[in-house]
Amino acid sequence: MRILIISDIHANQEAFEACLAAAPSYERVFNLGDVVGYGANPNEVVNKSRELGGLLVRGNHDKACSGISDTNDFNMVAAIAAFWTQQNLTTENLEWVRQLPAGPIVQEDVPGVQCVHGSPLDEDEYIIVVRDAYEPLGQTTARVTFFGHTHIQGGFSVENESWSTLRPVFERENDAESYKITLSDGAKYLINPGSVGQPRDGDWRAAFAMYDSNEHSLTFHRVPYNLEAAQRKILEANLPDRLATRLSEGR
Ligand code: ZN
């Protein structure tokens, strides 16, 4: 089965549409959460996510924006955006966001794979460096765990107690690119498709991944999108300026 893996869309409609337009054919969508928060198009992005369906996991911003959790852990900019999002979501979409399930989530017809927002051990935990992966990857039996939350495309693996960090290698800055790896049958993986709507790995292009469960292969993708439109909408919505400027930096 070919599966489109998306995460951290963060209400960025332009980035989301660019990813969907660039994605090769797929039979299923795994959406790892933070559908909303930061960007100016929460309803458009929720509507599209609902239409795509598939597997969904809630993120910390989904919880904060729908009132499940408070924003005490958020910086001022994130808290302002969460409040704005809560005010601007339709009642129906707010309820949909509120009902997103906590990870890990598995699907019976895709064995050996689980989906989380942060970590399989804690939905709000960040797995940033390989050391952060020791405990969650050591404890899980899933061959592949898809996660988001850090907005950094790549991941970690362990095979015969040998740990590795995975990072796609790209050559361009402004064009669409992909990077394919074949996964080892004997290894366990934590894989982050990157953030659709607010990358933080120094690459402004929208990120997603494709997983082929038959080939056991993974392809990381980066695609340019209409950055100026996304930034203009953030400013027009009176969301904090920083949410617009950081998009061009990929930080
Ligand atoms: Zn996020």
Side-chain angles (χ1 to χ4, degrees):
M1 189 185 298
R2 289 182 308 267
I3 303 165
L4 169 64
I5 319 286
I6 49 176
S7 190
D8 298 278
I9 307 166
H10 281 291
N12 185 334
Q13 183 185 3
E14 286 72 26
F16 193 17
E17 286 175 352
C19 289
L20 294 175
S25 66
Y26 52 86
E27 291 132 289
R28 189 76 57 86
V29 180
F30 288 178
N31 184 336
L32 311 178
D34 278 2
V35 176
V36 296
Y38 295 141
N41 287 108
N43 285 304
E44 291 77 3
V45 166
V46 166
N47 289 340
K48 184 50 98 176
S49 297
R50 293 174 65 174
E51 190 185 311
L52 286 173
L55 181 157
L56 290 134
V57 183
R58 72 181 184 189
N60 53 319
H61 286 259
D62 302 321
K63 287 192 287 181
C65 292
S66 62
I68 290 178
S69 65
D70 58 40
T71 54
N72 293 346
D73 291 346
F74 280 27
N75 62 40
M76 186 64 85
V77 166
I80 291 169
F83 180 73
W84 181 92
T85 303
Q86 194 164 13
Q87 300 299 307
N88 282 274
L89 277 170
T90 65
T91 308
E92 192 185 324
N93 284 340
L94 189 69
E95 194 50 33
W96 181 86
V97 172
R98 188 174 286 140
Q99 288 180 1
L100 288 170
I105 308 277
V106 297
Q107 294 217 318
E108 269 179 25
D109 60 348
V110 191
V113 174
Q114 67 179 348
C115 293
V116 302
H117 183 65
S119 155
L121 304 177
D122 178 347
E123 64 177 337
D124 295 331
E125 196 173 302
Y126 289 90
I127 302 174
I128 298 169
V129 294
V130 69
R131 192 181 180 80
D132 303 331
Y134 290 176
E135 208 186 343
L137 213 47
Q139 289 192 25
T140 186
T141 54
R143 291 166 75 199
V144 182
T145 300
F146 291 111
F147 74 106
H149 198 34
T150 64
H151 299 208
I152 296 168
Q153 193 176 46
F156 308 97
S157 68
V158 60
E159 183 162 24
N160 301 324
E161 294 178 37
S162 167
W163 293 83
S164 307
T165 299
L166 293 171
R167 228 359 114 64
V169 179
F170 295 119
E171 284 156 10
R172 303 196 182 93
E173 290 178 9
N174 298 311
D175 304 317
E177 268 185 289
S178 63
Y179 182 84
K180 183 173 180 175
I181 53 172
T182 300
L183 303 180
S184 165
D185 283 337
K188 286 194 286 187
Y189 291 89
L190 269 164
I191 297 203
N192 190 325
S195 169
V196 171
Q198 196 200 74
R200 293 178 197 161
D201 45 16
D203 185 337
W204 72 276
R205 296 172 296 179
F208 67 96
M210 300 291 306
Y211 174 61
D212 187 321
S213 61
N214 302 329
E215 284 185 2
H216 202 39
S217 70
L218 188 101
T219 309
F220 292 108
H221 288 263
R222 297 307 280 241
V223 291
Y225 69 95
N226 191 340
L227 176 73
E228 292 73 21
Q231 291 177 314
R232 180 171 33 83
K233 288 186 199 173
I234 286 169
L235 299 176
E236 283 172 1
N238 284 322
L239 281 158
D241 291 7
R242 176 69 192 138
L243 293 174
T245 55
R246 70 183 302 173
L247 293 179
S248 42
E249 298 161 15
R251 295 281 176 204

